[in-house]
């Protein structure tokens, strides 16, 4: 029971030791991935803000460009109107100049020849009253028309001058506005370029973080795969332990039954022997003293000889070496300390349990060796009289601590197995059970270096 607990503790330690690094890997990897996610999220958020600013500035640039186009169109219209007005102004200036000369001539004529004289000449030289009226009316009409024409020319000239000034003012204003828009557009273009550079930087940051995240994800996937493999091994081990527990339960039941049967047989034998002794005593009492003495002497002599023969046989079995004793692997249980049926003293599912059951099936019940781990059978078994050393041969027990024989390095318990063959190169084939092997597992060409071969006494 103690060995079973120790085995379970050791296996739990191995499993936990294997799981601990994986847990650490998971914790570190997940933490690093979370950091990369935060970096990516931050960069994407900053990128989104930068892109929003770029879009806003681009909208402003587009609006300014539309305004510039509209302003340029207005400027072109004003220039066209200005040209038309300038042409009209030039034409009017020529007309005004010509009318001015005429008016000036009339004015000088009026100064030299007064209006009254003109009117008198017209009246005197008129042929009739009707002619007088017509001439006076004509003179008045001409004077009035000249005056109106002069006023109209002055008014139009002033109006055209005002329009010309307005056109020039508007033109200068639009030119200034156009220059301002150009300056703003250049500034916004520069800002847009800077923001694009920032966006590219954010994209580079994201790409780098994503690459690193992918590397971490790959590392995590590898750790998960290792964890899955460890879980499969653990599940296989647990399944094996369950099977071993079943086998142990079956073995214990069989052993118990065998012990009960053996106990019943011994009791029957003792009862029969007691009855025989009683009958013999009755017979002896009726016989003569001489006959009784002779019978007793002969019986004593026969018993002595039988005892001597058994002692010799046991001595030969106990001390025999080499391959001469290797044939006693299954057969009689009439001699030796391992011949009486007992319960299995070894941990269920272990290598010692497998070897014990192998010999129990042949009527040989290996006594408890203390300490009795697999590798310790080689020394403690012979020292405690339970086993004796023999040569390598099929059917014998192999015990040792060597890495090749145990199956892994540094075992503190060692291993025992049943030899099934001895090869020409000195290696051995074995059948075995226990943790890591499975019940009835076989191996070929195992190195015999450091291995001791044994048989039950």
């Amino acid at each position: 029971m103690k060995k079973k607990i120790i085995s379970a503790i050791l296996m739990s330690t191995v499993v936990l030791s294997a799981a601990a690094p994986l847990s650490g890997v998971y914790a570190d990897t997940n933490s690093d991935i979370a950091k990369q996610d935060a970096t990516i999220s931050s960069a994407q958020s900053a990128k989104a803000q930068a892109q929003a600013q770029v879009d806003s500035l681009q909208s402003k640039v587009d609006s300014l460009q539309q305004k510039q186009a509209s302003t340029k169109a207005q400027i072109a219209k004003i220039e066209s109107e200005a040209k038309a007005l300038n042409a009209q102004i030039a034409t009017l200036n020529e007309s005004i100049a010509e009318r001015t000369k005429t008016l000036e001539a009339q004015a000088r004529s009026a100064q030299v020849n007064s209006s009254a004289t003109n009117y008198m000449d017209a009246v005197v030289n008129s042929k009739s009253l009707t002619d007088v009226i017509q001439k006076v009316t004509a003179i008045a009409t001409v004077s009035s028309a000249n005056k109106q024409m002069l006023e109209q020319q002055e008014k139009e000239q002033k109006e055209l001058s005002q329009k010309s000034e307005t056109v020039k003012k508007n033109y200068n204003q639009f030119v200034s506005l156009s220059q301002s828009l150009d300056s703003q557009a250049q500034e916004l273009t520069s800002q847009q370029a800077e923001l694009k550079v920032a966006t590219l930087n954010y994209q580079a940051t994201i790409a780098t973080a994503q690459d690193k995240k992918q590397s971490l994800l790959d590392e995590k996937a590898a750790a998960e795969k290792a964890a899955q493999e460890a879980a499969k091994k653990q599940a296989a081990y647990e399944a094996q332990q369950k099977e071993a527990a079943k086998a142990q339960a079956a073995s214990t039941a069989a052993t118990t039954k065998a012990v009960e049967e053996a106990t019943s047989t011994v009791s029957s034998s003792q009862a029969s022997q007691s009855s025989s002794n009683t009958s013999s005593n009755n017979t002896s009492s009726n016989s003569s003293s001489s006959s009784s003495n002779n019978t007793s002497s002969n019986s004593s002599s026969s018993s002595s000889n039988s005892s001597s023969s058994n002692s010799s046989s046991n001595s030969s079995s106990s001390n025999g070496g080499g391959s001469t004793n290797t044939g006693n692997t299954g057969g009689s249980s009439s001699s030796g300390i391992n011949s009486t049926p007992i319960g299995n003293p070894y941990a269920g599912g272990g290598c010692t349990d497998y070897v014990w059951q192998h010999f129990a099936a042949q009527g040989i019940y290996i006594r408890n060796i203390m300490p009795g781990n697999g590798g310790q059978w080689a020394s403690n078994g012979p020292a405690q009289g339970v086993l004796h050393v023999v040569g390598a041969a099929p059917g014998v027990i192999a015990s040792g601590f060597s890495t090749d024989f145990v199956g892994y390095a540094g075992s503190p318990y060692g291993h025992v197995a049943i030899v099934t063959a001895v090869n020409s190169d000195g290696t051995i084939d074995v059948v075995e059970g226990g943790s890591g092997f499975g019940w009835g597992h076989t191996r070929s060409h195992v190195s015999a270096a450091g291995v001791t071969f044994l048989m039950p006494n």
Side-chain angles (χ1 to χ4, degrees), residues 4 10 21 41 78 103 129 133 213 246 251 278 286 288 293 295 306 332 336 339 343 366 376 406 426 452:
K4 186 182 297 184
L10 287 172
S41 177
I78 290 172
L103 291 173
L129 181 59
I133 293 171
K213 178 182 177 181
K246 290 180 181 179
S251 173
T278 301
N286 295 325
S288 64
N293 289 335
T295 302
S306 176
S332 175
S339 61
I366 300 175
Q376 294 171 322
V406 174
T452 300

Side-chain angles (χ1 to χ4, degrees), residues 190-232:
S190 176
Q191 291 180 4
Q192 184 182 19
E194 292 179 359
L195 288 171
K196 285 183 178 179
V197 171
T199 300
L200 292 175
N201 288 336
Y202 289 128
Q203 290 175 342
T205 300
I206 291 172
T208 301
Q210 287 176 337
D211 289 343
K212 189 171 183 180
K213 178 182 177 181
Q214 185 58 48
S215 175
L216 291 170
L217 288 174
D218 293 341
E219 181 179 345
K220 181 180 179 181
E224 288 176 345
K225 184 178 180 181
Q228 291 174 355
E229 291 177 353
K232 287 180 180 179

Side-chain angles (χ1 to χ4, degrees), residues 75 206-207 284 313:
I75 290 172
I206 291 172
S284 295
S313 175

Side-chain angles (χ1 to χ4, degrees), residues 1 4 7 241 244-245 248 344-353 357 439:
M1 184 64 180
K4 186 182 297 184
S7 177
Q241 289 296 91
Q248 174 62 18
N344 188 349
Y346 296 100
C351 59
T352 52
D353 176 27
Q357 292 193 46
W439 210 250

Side-chain angles (χ1 to χ4, degrees), residues 86-103:
N86 288 333
Q88 292 177 9
I89 289 171
T91 301
L92 289 173
N93 285 334
E94 290 177 0
S95 298
I96 289 171
E98 291 178 358
R99 288 189 181 91
T100 299
K101 291 179 181 179
T102 302
L103 291 173

